[in-house]
Amino acid sequence: MIECWRWFGPDDPTQLSDLPQVGATGVVTALHGFAPGAPWPADAIAARKGMIERVGLTWEVVESLPVSEAIKTQGPDMADHLMHYKSSMRALADQGVRTICYNFMPILDWTRTQTHAPQPHGGTAMLFDLAVFAAFDLHILKRNGAAEDYNVAVQEAAKSAFVAMDDAAKANLTHTVIAGLPGANDGWTLEDVRTRLASYAGISAAQLRQNLIDFLGEVAPLAETLGLRLCCHPDDPPFSLLGLPRVMSSTTDYEIALNAVDTPANGATLCTGSLGVAPQFEVVDFVTRLGPRIHFAHLRNTKRLPSPDPDRPGFFEAAHLEGDTDMVAALRALMKEEARRRAEGCEDHAIPMRPDHGQELLDDRGRDSLPGYPLIGRMRGLAELRGIMAALKGDIA
């Protein structure tokens, strides 16, 4: 596998020049300064690639080339945004950047209720608590119809959680939920969220899935022509929040989208942490059924927590070998898929992977780390994953 490291660009607290020391050979990054729907200029792509190559690394994966809300909802600006998306794909292909990760989650990216939840060992981890999230939805955002989305047990737990919060805790929860992907939505207000929620009125899960398939029908043939690989990241967490539909939460969801636009360029990002929150998820089954279409892997682990709604568990970001996903089994399955590709003579047999969402450990606590992306916590994860791969290598042809 190609060992990669996510880097958020020049503003990332971890300097690009430090990355050779972490052991990775590839970089996963994006031009975060451009809003979703805007085209990425060729000179900006070339400049970013040059920065990476000057320290001896390669730009392996774009994460993400974001899909705008206009595309997801098929809003008035969709045609322009699709045109810009395609122009960005062409510009990336011209620079030899071949793998593009994206997601199709409505409005918010990953959602947590704490970004620095204390752990018994003294470090911290990101955490999602459904009752606390419901407290935000019901009592802070005050979304119309929100009560219909929660059973009585969740509503009661949410009320207790809200009553226990002081003003600072309410403000922190609001920021944590709205921020989503680091740096993406920091300027949003509650009213901004309400406005964006209104844009999904009447969009069912079936319609959102069709919108995804329509998007793929536009971009996947171009990706095939350009030699690009598109890979959709799963919903995080893999269930509905804020009354919004989510359509990439299970292996079956992936099969539907990949079969609907059946070209090798239309692929999957296997995120063992996001999908692994669902108790029914089986990582080996995912690789067995969809292996040839896996173009990128996020290797992280989550540990489920008790929840007043068994279909929407709480969870925290566990150490890479300590959560609910069997990471050894996951890597064994991925490495077998790579071996199958090699046997068939595939030049791009190696799957890019990165250690994702590490815990804050040791000196991480004093750094200004982006939530989920501490230096030492991810280095521990990469070292553990590398050890598993070394142990398995001799058993896999």
Side-chain angles (χ1 to χ4, degrees):
M1 302 189 77
I2 304 172
E3 298 170 12
C4 299
W5 189 267
R6 190 171 194 183
W7 181 63
F8 286 92
D11 293 332
D12 192 315
T14 300
Q15 297 299 306
L16 185 61
S17 58
D18 293 336
L19 294 189
Q21 297 182 53
V22 309
T25 60
V27 172
V28 176
T29 191
L31 304 184
H32 298 287
F34 294 91
W40 286 10
D43 58 350
I45 294 171
R48 178 60 58 87
K49 184 186 179 190
M51 293 172 64
I52 293 167
E53 292 180 344
R54 279 193 291 276
V55 299
L57 303 175
T58 58
W59 188 356
E60 290 289 343
V61 181
V62 175
E63 187 179 0
S64 295
L65 182 57
V67 181
S68 71
E69 292 301 307
I71 293 175
K72 293 174 187 174
T73 63
Q74 298 197 349
D77 295 326
M78 181 178 70
D80 284 344
H81 288 192
L82 278 172
M83 178 179 65
H84 295 158
Y85 204 96
K86 292 176 182 179
S87 73
S88 299
M89 290 170 58
R90 293 187 184 96
L92 287 162
D94 286 344
Q95 290 295 321
V97 184
R98 298 298 177 190
T99 304
I100 298 174
C101 179
Y102 69 96
N103 74 67
F104 219 77
M105 285 181 269
I107 302 180
L108 296 177
D109 205 291
W110 56 256
T111 303
R112 303 290 185 270
T113 53
Q114 284 182 268
T115 55
H116 300 88
Q119 299 299 297
H121 53 50
T124 69
M126 297 202 299
L127 179 148
F128 176 85
D129 184 306
L130 181 65
V132 174
F133 182 85
F136 165 79
D137 193 10
L138 291 164
H139 302 294
I140 297 176
L141 181 64
K142 299 179 181 178
R143 177 173 61 89
N144 290 334
E148 300 173 9
D149 292 337
Y150 302 106
N151 63 31
V152 172
V154 176
Q155 292 185 46
E156 291 178 350
K159 184 176 181 180
S160 296
F162 179 73
V163 169
M165 295 179 198
D166 59 19
D167 288 344
K170 294 172 188 175
N172 183 63
L173 174 61
T174 299
H175 173 76
T176 299
V177 172
I178 290 178
L181 186 69
N185 307 320
D186 287 345
W188 283 15
T189 65
L190 290 174
E191 193 55 39
D192 290 329
V193 176
R194 295 184 186 106
T195 299
R196 284 163 173 78
L197 285 171
S199 70
Y200 279 85
I203 296 181
S204 64
Q207 184 60 59
L208 184 64
R209 176 174 283 113
Q210 187 58 53
N211 291 357
L212 168 60
I213 292 169
D214 290 346
F215 165 71
L216 290 169
E218 287 281 344
V219 299
L222 176 62
E224 192 73 29
T225 299
L226 295 172
L228 297 173
R229 293 176 290 263
L230 300 172
C231 43
C232 189
H233 188 282
D235 303 327
D236 184 8
F239 44 74
S240 175
L241 296 174
L242 298 178
L244 294 165
R246 287 192 156 178
V247 296
M248 294 300 273
S249 294
S250 68
T251 305
T252 299
D253 287 340
Y254 271 91
E255 283 189 320
I256 292 170
L258 299 183
N259 290 337
V261 183
D262 193 8
T263 171
N266 176 27
T269 296
L270 168 59
C271 181
T272 56
S274 297
L275 291 166
V277 167
Q280 65 272 22
F281 178 69
E282 295 289 344
V283 66
V284 175
D285 178 62
F286 186 100
V287 179
T288 300
R289 289 159 65 178
L290 303 177
R293 305 287 278 275
I294 296 173
H295 299 325
F296 184 30
H298 286 186
L299 300 178
R300 66 182 179 91
N301 225 327
T302 46
K303 184 71 176 178
R304 289 183 289 274
L305 297 169
S307 169
D309 181 347
D311 293 328
R312 292 187 283 184
F315 61 92
F316 69 94
E317 303 280 357
H320 283 73
L321 306 187
E322 297 176 9
D324 292 311
T325 294
D326 184 340
M327 199 61 72
V328 175
L331 280 164
R332 180 182 289 113
L334 289 168
M335 292 172 70
K336 285 183 177 179
E337 169 58 23
E338 288 184 319
R340 183 198 64 78
R341 296 179 188 185
R342 286 194 299 273
E344 293 185 356
C346 298
E347 292 184 4
D348 58 346
H349 59 84
I351 299 171
M353 71 81 161
R354 66 176 178 85
D356 196 11
H357 290 194
Q359 297 183 342
E360 285 196 337
L361 306 173
L362 304 169
D363 288 354
D364 285 334
R365 301 295 307 278
R367 298 172 184 264
D368 187 21
S369 300
L370 294 169
Y373 293 95
L375 175 61
I376 295 173
R378 284 187 291 162
M379 286 183 66
R380 172 184 169 178
L382 180 57
E384 291 175 339
L385 297 170
R386 185 181 289 124
I388 293 173
M389 291 188 291
L392 293 174
K393 187 175 181 180
D395 297 332
I396 297 173

